[in-house]
Amino acid sequence: MMARQAWFRRIVALLVGLMTMVAQPAAADQHVAMRLVAETPRPAAGGTVTLAFDAVPAPGWHAYWQNPGDAGVGTRLAWTLPSGARAGELRYPVPQRLLIAGLMNYVFERPFAMLVDVQIPAGLAPGTPLPISVKADYLVCTADLCVPETQTLQTALIVGDGAADPALRARFDAWRRALPQPLGASATWQAAAGVFRLGVPFPAAAPIRDAYFYPLAGGAVDYAAPQKIARDGDRLVVEAKLAAVPASGRIAGVLATGEGRGLAILANPGVVAPADAAGGVWGSALLAFAGAVLGGLLLNIMPCVFPILSLKALGLARAGETEAIARRESLAYAAGVILVCLALGGGLLALRAGGSAVGWAFQLQDPRVIGVLLLLVAGLALNLAGLFELPTPRFAGKSGTTGAFATGALAAFVATPCSGPFMGAALGAALVLPTAAALMVFAGLGFGIALPFLLIGFVPAFRRRLPKPGPWMVRLRHILSIPMFLTAAALGWVLWRQAGGIGLVLAAIALILLALGLWWTGWMQGQGRERAWWPGLTAIPAALMAMALLHPGAARPATTIAGAERFSEARLAALRAEGRPVFAYFTADWCLTCKVNEKTSIETERVARAFSKGKVAVLVGDWTDGDPALGRFIEANNRAGVPLYLWYAPGAREPRLLPQLLTPDMLTGLAGT
């Protein structure tokens, strides 16, 4: 049966190939609208101009990638260029998969652009015409029909200064983002027992979705066979059925990483261990769950959670408390905690599935959320300090299951700015696990936060060890207000980092409004007045309105080393004009070598001190999203990808290209020269 399928595929591929040699259709019958677009109409002599084949398949039709898969033909070009000009290789964007009758096709069903760099001869005078013509032969198909097509495309350029229209440059930048980015590290492949296994260096923290390996040629995988892709620490492992005729030597391909993005892979033959052969996905999930429980348990001693837990726990020690009430309240508290953790975790997973690179406490990236949390923590601190009394939930009084549930939800939400041991690894693992396993980890975090209160509610011996309520609880409340005030101060600092001085002023206005309203409420409560909560209820929306005026996006950018700035060619030129030494490095979240260098060399205190002493300016180029402006600069420095490390000595005309593996001694030595 397998032999029949192999012969069937060969026959289909042969027929498709024969079709490309006959029946050239008229232009009106073409099913791919294609234009030849130059990035600049006035390229400089001796420079390079990028040309784009801007292609739009008709609805229901598809064109083929450079490796078409089981059947199909890639695009072939025949150039007519000015004397001395040379065209480079055709560069394709990341393709799509299309399975038809058991045959896997690597195709483009949506608009796409293929890019080519053309080298312009040196020594041409400005104004010299540069007529360019290219004949493109390609195959276009539906699910039932394939048609070979030919188009002759032309563009007329003139030697000039190489300037590009900003709108056209932006369009080319978008097309470049769709090209696979060089990984910058070698992968390894192995064929064993009919299985192709590929190991790709890829940081565990880097996001990826809908991963798939597209080989550039046959001999790697059976195209139609499903691929199994697993994360194993700082690598991805791809497994699939081995091709009928295995390749030997180096294998090239593209690893799709989601949202039309991909990495160009070069893999050498070697030994590739299976991913997580001992535990599997659920083994990793159980380890992450245990870490999340332990991390959540330790969160209870953090200043943002401990006061709430302490007073709620002491509330269960009041005289006359029954076993049934204690258990109901502890379960309600745990339910509130776990549901909030699940809701936050589910929201996080949904945002990441939509392409957003967010992490735990993602909601805290918005200064308005920080503002609301600041008001909440400040209100709790003022309550604990005795400024006013809350009618429900009363943390040290009888509030029933509803109040216990609300208290648990509040504790979980307030805990999100806090971080503790074991949490980072557990929640980081959750982001690469299947959805069900990831939600189990988030539930484990909630269970850990709720565990002390569950033990108090279900184990009478623990409750008996709690002191009986008395006047001392008032003093304890006042003492516990201190860590809550400290938490509010920390949130204020975060808000200042995100929204700057204006944001801090708005937060101060909101806090004053809230404090005045709550003080007035507390005074009316002390006088036994009716409607004592009216001032507080009026102040809360006024304070929230002030916080709503905060603008997200005004954040102060975090840097990896003290004084580091975001790279731009303008900033580089300004620093060099000042005569300062400059260390420029280019990194990406998916570059394992980059992350190793950053942790072991660049971000060390020793290097930071040396750079500070030598007044070295540090510029960081983050190429995670394939920024085309950075890509052009990287290419101009004779590198295809990251990492790239450049040292600009004062007065030097050209930078010094540093090795891809750095050491602290190397960097401190440069700073001392």
Side-chain angles (χ1 to χ4, degrees):
M1 183 64 181
M2 299 304 294
R4 289 181 183 178
Q5 290 181 351
W7 275 107
F8 175 71
R9 293 177 185 174
R10 292 179 184 178
I11 291 171
V12 171
L14 178 60
L15 290 174
V16 170
L18 291 173
M19 290 172 61
T20 64
M21 296 185 290
V22 299
Q24 301 297 332
D29 298 328
Q30 290 169 347
H31 299 93
V32 174
M34 191 177 294
R35 299 186 308 125
L36 185 64
V37 183
E39 188 168 12
T40 172
R42 300 178 59 84
T48 300
V49 60
T50 301
L51 304 180
F53 292 84
D54 183 12
V56 181
W61 293 80
H62 58 264
Y64 286 91
W65 191 50
Q66 58 198 106
N67 176 9
D70 278 322
V73 176
T75 301
R76 294 173 295 179
L77 303 176
W79 292 92
T80 302
L81 298 170
S83 177
R86 297 190 308 274
E89 294 184 359
L90 187 63
R91 293 180 288 168
Y92 290 76
V94 179
Q96 305 160 258
R97 303 187 297 278
L98 183 62
L99 190 64
I100 301 176
L103 301 179
M104 177 60 74
N105 300 266
Y106 299 151
V107 303
F108 300 104
E109 296 182 287
R110 298 188 292 266
F112 66 100
M114 301 172 291
L115 304 185
V116 174
D117 290 332
V118 175
Q119 180 68 42
I120 305 300
L124 297 179
T128 303
L130 297 169
I132 294 177
S133 177
V134 59
K135 178 185 175 185
D137 291 300
Y138 55 92
L139 188 69
V140 61
C141 300
T142 68
D144 305 310
L145 175 67
C146 286
V147 177
E149 293 186 354
T150 295
Q151 294 192 48
T152 299
L153 307 171
Q154 298 176 336
T155 184
L157 309 179
I158 298 175
V159 175
D161 58 3
D165 178 74
L168 189 58
R169 173 60 62 83
R171 193 172 185 190
F172 269 81
D173 285 349
W175 286 333
R176 286 190 178 96
R177 289 179 188 272
L179 299 177
Q181 301 169 8
L183 178 63
S186 295
T188 306
W189 73 276
Q190 178 184 11
V195 175
F196 172 85
R197 187 178 296 123
L198 174 70
V200 181
F202 198 86
I208 192 171
R209 58 190 297 261
D210 193 25
Y212 191 89
F213 176 64
Y214 295 92
L216 287 184
V221 301
D222 183 323
Y223 295 132
Q227 295 186 6
K228 176 185 175 183
I229 299 182
R231 304 193 76 149
D232 185 23
D234 287 325
R235 70 170 184 151
L236 288 175
V237 179
V238 181
E239 289 187 357
K241 181 182 176 183
L242 186 64
V245 182
S248 60
R250 177 175 287 188
I251 287 177
V254 170
L255 178 69
T257 57
E259 299 299 322
R261 305 290 177 85
L263 302 172
I265 302 295
L266 284 176
N268 296 309
V271 177
V272 181
D276 199 13
V281 170
W282 287 101
S284 300
L286 288 174
L287 288 175
F289 176 82
V293 171
L294 189 54
L297 182 63
L298 293 176
L299 272 184
N300 285 286
I301 63 174
M302 297 296 174
C304 46
V305 180
F306 182 71
I308 299 174
L309 172 68
S310 300
L311 292 177
K312 188 61 186 173
L314 290 172
L316 287 181
R318 59 184 176 269
E321 190 69 275
T322 66
E323 290 286 330
I325 292 176
R327 292 179 179 179
R328 281 201 305 269
E329 291 202 14
S330 62
L331 288 174
Y333 178 89
V337 173
I338 294 172
L339 286 178
V340 168
C341 288
L342 284 174
L344 292 173
L348 167 61
L349 296 176
L351 287 174
R352 291 178 69 89
S356 299
V358 295
W360 176 248
F362 61 92
Q363 71 278 11
L364 302 182
Q365 296 174 357
D366 190 325
R368 292 168 295 191
V369 176
I370 291 289
V372 172
L373 195 57
L374 173 58
L375 293 177
L376 179 61
V377 172
L380 290 174
L382 293 173
N383 171 253
L384 293 174
L387 189 69
F388 69 100
E389 294 298 327
L390 283 171
T392 182
R394 288 181 2 228
F395 299 112
K398 185 173 182 178
S399 57
T401 55
T402 301
F405 179 89
T407 305
L410 178 65
F413 186 72
V414 172
T416 54
C418 292
S419 181
F422 304 100
M423 276 186 62
L427 298 182
L431 300 182
V432 298
L433 290 170
T435 301
L439 290 176
M440 183 182 77
V441 175
F442 290 115
L445 176 65
F447 179 74
I449 297 174
L451 186 57
F453 198 64
L454 285 171
L455 291 175
I456 293 171
F458 278 80
V459 181
F462 286 157
R463 290 200 307 279
R464 286 195 294 268
R465 291 182 177 273
L466 294 174
K468 297 298 181 182
W472 62 271
M473 290 187 65
V474 176
R475 293 192 296 274
L476 178 63
R477 279 185 55 175
H478 295 165
I479 293 172
L480 292 177
S481 70
I482 296 174
M484 295 303 285
F485 279 120
L486 293 176
T487 301
L491 288 170
W493 179 84
V494 173
L495 187 62
W496 171 69
R497 295 287 297 176
Q498 289 188 341
I502 295 178
L504 198 60
V505 170
L506 288 172
I509 293 172
L511 287 173
I512 292 171
L513 290 173
L514 179 69
L516 286 174
L518 294 179
W519 169 80
W520 196 347
T521 289
W523 180 81
M524 293 180 68
Q525 287 174 337
Q527 299 294 319
R529 302 284 185 88
E530 295 183 359
R531 300 183 179 89
W533 261 98
W534 280 26
L537 293 177
T538 303
I540 290 173
L544 290 174
M545 288 178 62
M547 289 298 190
L549 297 176
L550 295 171
H551 293 290
R556 295 168 176 258
T559 55
T560 57
I561 186 172
E565 302 177 61
R566 180 179 297 177
F567 176 87
S568 71
E569 293 190 58
R571 183 57 181 157
L572 173 62
L575 290 169
R576 297 193 67 190
E578 295 174 8
R580 292 184 61 184
V582 179
F583 174 60
Y585 72 93
F586 301 83
T587 181
D589 288 347
W590 38 260
C591 173
L592 183 59
T593 305
C594 303
K595 298 307 171 188
V596 171
N597 283 330
E598 288 160 23
K599 296 301 180 186
T600 61
S601 300
I602 298 174
E603 298 176 6
T604 60
E605 291 186 8
R606 178 184 170 193
V607 170
R609 287 196 302 268
F611 279 7
S612 177
K613 183 178 180 181
K615 297 183 178 180
V616 177
V618 180
L619 298 179
V620 184
D622 188 344
W623 205 42
T624 299
D625 63 351
D627 182 354
L630 290 180
R632 287 191 296 271
F633 186 85
I634 291 170
E635 289 181 4
N637 284 275
N638 300 314
R639 280 285 171 88
V642 291
L644 172 63
Y645 304 106
L646 300 174
W647 175 261
Y648 293 86
R653 296 189 60 183
E654 298 294 332
R656 176 180 172 184
L657 183 64
L658 302 181
Q660 289 189 320
L661 292 178
L662 302 178
T663 64
D665 288 340
M666 182 188 305
L667 296 179
T668 55
L670 290 171
T673 57

